[in-house]
Amino acid sequence: MISEQSVTKKLDQYSSYEMIAGHRRRYASELAEKTEIPCIVRNLSDEESTILMVDSNLQREKILPSEKAFAYKMKLDAMKKQGQRTDLTSVPLAQKLQGKTSRQILGEQVGESQDQIRRFIRLTNLIPELLELVDNSVLKEKDKLQIALRPAVELSYLSEEEQSDLYETIESEDCTPSHAQAIKLRKLSEEGRLDENVIFSILTEEKGNQKEQFRMPRERIQKYFPPKATEKQIEDTIVKALELYRKRERSLER
């Protein structure tokens, strides 16, 4: 146990301490009016501090793509600066001599493939508005536009100006690019042929699997169905009701 008083004395002796991990536990302790909390004091380099902080954040149960993207980038940059050492326990030199890159080692540590690590880090090149749409794909909020990881990676190669134009079109047309459309946008950008008109043309073209959808607020029909009725059950019931209505109308016409 290290009390606040003892930490204050240490501050005078060693200039300052920086909390690397445990901020939520500290906040909870403050709410509980605790004057002492258990902690470990270590002398770490900037790179070691960054790695420890990222590892702590990656332990959370739910992590958004944007959080993973910047966490992986921070840790990879720190690992590259460290040189031989890649974590607090130090990866054996033999492992480094086997030809593994920092990205491969990071992938092994976090349980992701090297390609997936690269994809997530590419997301850090997206403007915040587009990155939010990628996070929406994980949050899965029905009323919000979403962009999946693979098309988002392709879009990350667009310039900031092109991304802003793309986002404006996404907002105005209420649609997001498919993976194939994102590849097309990237190719045209690399060729210097991407502008607002081209973006609009690509986003408004009919996708191969695109079907016109009819939506109705659930509140308007909720009273006709049990509280636990699924969307499929509601849809099937409505279709059957319309079929019966159509048969009745036809019989009246005869």
Side-chain angles (χ1 to χ4, degrees):
M1 290 283 192
I2 298 181
S3 67
E4 292 180 350
Q5 291 81 2
S6 61
V7 168
T8 302
K9 292 178 182 178
K10 292 286 185 181
L11 285 173
D12 295 335
Q13 185 177 354
Y14 298 107
S15 297
S16 66
Y17 283 90
E18 181 180 1
M19 178 171 281
I20 304 300
H23 294 82
R24 289 187 297 277
R25 289 189 292 274
R26 177 186 175 184
Y27 180 63
S29 298
E30 289 175 354
L31 291 177
E33 298 183 350
K34 288 182 175 291
T35 58
E36 296 184 351
I37 56 172
C39 64
I40 298 173
V41 179
R42 285 179 176 168
N43 184 20
L44 303 174
S45 67
D46 289 342
E47 290 76 26
E48 289 170 336
S49 300
T50 298
I51 290 171
L52 183 60
M53 177 185 67
V54 170
D55 286 344
S56 175
N57 288 331
L58 289 174
Q59 297 302 313
R60 285 163 36 213
E61 187 175 341
K62 191 170 185 178
I63 307 174
L64 296 175
S66 60
E67 294 172 325
K68 271 190 178 183
F70 286 100
Y72 288 167
K73 187 177 188 302
M74 286 177 64
K75 183 168 182 179
L76 190 62
D77 289 345
M79 288 169 63
K80 288 177 178 178
K81 287 179 182 177
Q82 272 190 322
Q84 181 180 332
R85 288 196 69 189
T86 55
D87 61 17
L88 295 181
T89 57
S90 185
V91 172
L93 181 60
Q95 187 181 37
K96 293 288 286 183
L97 294 176
Q98 288 174 359
K100 290 188 177 182
T101 64
S102 297
R103 189 183 295 165
Q104 284 176 304
I105 296 170
L106 173 57
E108 291 172 0
Q109 291 175 352
V110 299
E112 303 264 24
S113 70
Q114 185 176 194
D115 284 342
Q116 196 73 342
I117 294 291
R118 177 188 61 79
R119 291 187 190 104
F120 274 112
I121 291 177
R122 279 302 315 176
L123 298 183
T124 61
N125 293 283
L126 289 173
I127 61 173
E129 293 85 355
L130 291 180
L131 191 54
E132 184 178 349
L133 300 186
V134 183
D135 285 342
N136 288 347
S137 68
V138 172
L139 297 172
K140 294 182 178 178
E141 297 182 28
K142 294 181 181 179
D143 297 332
K144 291 189 176 180
L145 291 168
Q146 305 171 9
I147 298 180
L149 177 61
R150 284 182 177 271
V153 171
E154 300 297 331
L155 300 176
S156 71
Y157 289 92
L158 273 58
S159 68
E160 285 191 18
E161 184 179 352
E162 291 168 339
Q163 290 185 40
S164 296
D165 291 340
L166 172 63
Y167 182 72
E168 287 181 10
T169 307
I170 287 173
E171 284 260 280
S172 64
E173 300 305 311
D174 195 33
C175 65
T176 55
S178 65
H179 189 204
Q181 289 174 328
I183 292 174
K184 189 184 295 186
L185 289 166
R186 175 184 172 182
K187 185 173 184 296
L188 290 169
S189 173
E190 290 171 346
E191 294 172 355
R193 297 194 290 131
L194 190 63
D195 59 26
E196 294 178 1
N197 294 328
V198 174
I199 291 172
F200 178 83
S201 175
I202 292 174
L203 251 65
T204 54
E205 67 185 11
E206 187 173 346
K207 301 181 179 71
N209 61 346
Q210 189 174 11
K211 294 181 180 179
E212 188 175 352
Q213 294 185 349
F214 173 76
R215 295 183 180 180
M216 178 182 293
R218 192 180 179 112
E219 293 77 16
R220 290 194 63 187
I221 56 175
Q222 186 65 57
K223 63 181 179 180
Y224 301 109
F225 299 93
K228 294 184 179 180
T230 64
E231 287 189 9
K232 187 176 185 310
Q233 289 172 332
I234 293 174
E235 183 181 329
D236 290 345
T237 303
I238 291 174
V239 170
K240 287 179 181 179
L242 289 172
E243 288 173 350
L244 290 172
Y245 175 77
R246 188 175 182 182
K247 286 180 182 180
R248 178 177 175 277
E249 289 295 301
R250 284 179 176 177
S251 64
L252 293 173
E253 290 173 0
R254 292 174 184 173

